[in-house]
Amino acid sequence: MGSAERFIPHKGEIEAGTLPNSFEAVLKNYEGAMECDLVLLADGEIAIVHPRDIGGSAAGIEQMGLSDIEAQRIPSDDPDREHGRAIPLMHELVGFASDTDTRLVMDLKASNKEKAFVLVEKIIERLGKMRKDGAFKLNP
């Protein structure tokens, strides 16, 4: 790989058993970066989940609230982790990524253009609040 090239793992999956879009994926980052999927929930929370990973669509997940997404689990093909792990929220994964010096490439999942614009506004708002609250002191 040349110095201008960089490999960014899709959903953080770089080896067998790594759960996609998870805290574990951040810890197993490759060259300090991973792609993650963001979906806006009905109550304004932003989940880090690829809709198909939990058998849904962006439109279906947009109708879920925080309690609905908390009931879901990231699927795993590892028999030792039959039920997977909890789906993180954007502020959780971004904070953890900052602490571990991992860059996130955010792939926005939305059912239509209007929802995508709302998602972008919410992301910018949340990141601004996190910065204001000092969440990025370790890795600004």
Side-chain angles (χ1 to χ4, degrees):
M1 226 183 272
S3 61
E5 297 171 347
R6 190 166 193 188
F7 173 76
I8 299 176
H10 182 238
K11 300 187 288 185
E13 296 180 286
I14 60 169
E15 60 187 52
T18 301
L19 297 175
N21 288 308
S22 66
F23 297 114
E24 176 186 54
V26 169
L27 287 174
K28 293 184 178 184
N29 74 76
Y30 181 80
E31 294 186 15
M34 69 174 261
E35 179 261 356
C36 61
D37 304 289
L38 284 71
V39 182
L40 181 64
L41 303 178
D43 56 10
E45 288 289 350
I46 302 168
I48 304 286
V49 61
H50 192 280
R52 287 185 300 206
D53 285 345
I54 59 171
S57 64
I61 294 176
E62 288 168 346
Q63 294 176 12
M64 292 180 173
L66 179 58
S67 61
D68 300 316
I69 209 72
E70 286 177 337
Q72 301 291 320
R73 289 291 176 261
I74 300 168
S76 174
D77 56 6
D78 183 341
D80 294 332
R81 281 191 299 224
E82 185 177 321
H83 301 292
R85 293 206 179 127
I87 293 170
L89 300 177
M90 184 198 82
H91 68 274
E92 296 170 326
L93 196 70
V94 167
F96 189 61
S98 175
D99 290 349
T100 59
D101 198 25
T102 302
R103 304 300 185 257
L104 297 177
V105 175
M106 297 179 179
D107 185 0
L108 311 184
K109 303 292 184 184
S111 58
N112 59 52
K113 186 167 68 171
E114 291 76 24
K115 291 273 189 181
F117 284 127
V118 173
L119 176 55
V120 168
E121 289 173 355
K122 289 283 186 186
I123 290 168
I124 292 169
E125 175 186 305
R126 295 281 164 78
L127 290 174
K129 183 176 181 341
M130 289 178 75
R131 180 180 297 274
K132 182 180 175 193
D133 292 345
F136 304 123
K137 285 183 180 174
L138 182 62
N139 180 17

